Amino acid sequence: METEHYKPVEDFNELVERSSYWVRALAKTMGIWPGRYVAMRMSWYRRLYYFMLSMHWLNTFLQIEFFFRNLGNLGLVVQGLCSFVSICTTGLKVMRIHAYEDEIRKIWQALENATYFKRIRFLRKTNTGAIFAGIHQLLAEQWKEVQMNLRFYSLVVGLVALNYSVIPACSNLYNQFQGNAFNRSFVYNTYYPFLEPIKRRSPLFELLFCSESLSGYTTFAGVVAFDGLLIEKINEIFSPILLVQLFTSTSIICVIAFAASMPADGGESQTMLMVLYLIAAIYQLFQFCWYGQRLQNESTALPLSVYDVEWELCAANFKSSQHILLLYSQRQIDMRAWSFSAMSLETFSTIIRSAASYFTVLQTLAEE
């Protein structure tokens, strides 16, 4: 019998590029997007990655120094712990993406070219036009959903990064031009060995502020790039980091909620920053679990769809093939945090309940 393969419409590549713009753009500025898609010379592109990563881990080390030197101050420890856990997790995500660059390139090519749909063969005597139109509509809806999700997520994470970096910079410039007496503020709570007495003098302050801002941008770009790339290879690439994400999300949500409930030195602005940070942390965990749940739902519905094809009216050869397909389709497909847990809404509710329990414990300890 003559068969025909699915052919994407002409504007499909444009739709994919438009929907994934933020993932690609931010990953390129970090040097972690597959090199074949980048116009920059490969040697400079690799240097960009190592430079951004080294600045990121340098500021992580400086935050560790600050953390251990202020263990007696609960407010500073809580505020520092929020950013410290976030940038550590992001550093691991960035390194993981870079290590699996070839695999991510193959996955991206398959998505960009609709490779998996092209492998399906349809009989020419069927109404292939209507079938292809239905497939394209389904793909278009999914990519538009990706686009909306990435825009919202980039906005939320960007607002948090803005509060940490851009607003302090504008405040420093405003007070300096007005001639006001003020204490120059950095992006993070950090301790600089040997430079602590002079770190607020120019031009050293400007250099250190820029280095911390680069680390903040690395966190922003790395978070959006990794979380937007969540697509048997996918589990291999992302499952170890998803396990780390579960533990860090529990601690971050707990600590941020506790920080938001404490009287802050920065007043309402600091409280608003913590609330915004909390929203971003919860949404970050939610999108992992939401798409994991949808994958589980589709996996559960697949064998039912295979069975409901009026196979009893077909020839014996078709019945044999359909039976094999039915057996294969009953295998559960899910996105896992290693072998620890499947990403689902049940996991999301478990993490939120655990974070709430730890939050209650922290409040009790603080009151004592």
Side-chain angles (χ1 to χ4, degrees), residues 8-18 136:
V9 294
E10 294 181 357
D11 64 342
F12 181 73
N13 284 342
E14 181 183 346
L15 172 66
V16 173
E17 290 181 2
R18 185 172 63 249
H136 177 66

Side-chain angles (χ1 to χ4, degrees), residues 167-218:
I167 292 180
C170 293
S171 176
N172 290 335
L173 289 173
Y174 174 78
N175 285 303
Q176 187 169 350
F177 287 136
Q178 292 293 320
N180 300 331
F182 69 101
N183 190 22
R184 289 176 161 183
S185 56
F186 285 90
V187 178
Y188 299 117
N189 291 324
T190 49
Y191 179 85
Y192 291 89
F194 310 114
L195 300 176
E196 195 65 22
I198 59 172
K199 69 179 184 180
R200 286 185 167 84
R201 298 179 188 175
S202 295
L204 181 60
F205 169 77
E206 286 77 9
L207 290 173
L208 297 179
F209 190 92
C210 288
S211 72
E212 291 189 11
S213 297
L214 277 175
S215 177
Y217 177 78
T218 303

Side-chain angles (χ1 to χ4, degrees), residues 309-324:
V309 294
E310 298 183 352
W311 53 270
E312 66 277 3
L313 303 178
C314 300
N317 290 339
F318 179 87
K319 291 179 181 179
S320 177
S321 301
Q322 192 262 357
H323 181 65
I324 295 173

Side-chain angles (χ1 to χ4, degrees), residues 55-69 84 87 188-193 195-196 208 211-212:
M55 297 300 295
H56 186 81
W57 287 116
L58 172 63
N59 280 278
T60 304
F61 166 75
L62 296 174
Q63 286 193 56
I64 294 174
E65 284 281 326
F66 181 87
F67 183 82
F68 282 107
R69 289 174 181 272
F84 170 71
I87 66 174
Y188 299 117
N189 291 324
T190 49
Y191 179 85
Y192 291 89
L195 300 176
E196 195 65 22
L208 297 179
S211 72
E212 291 189 11

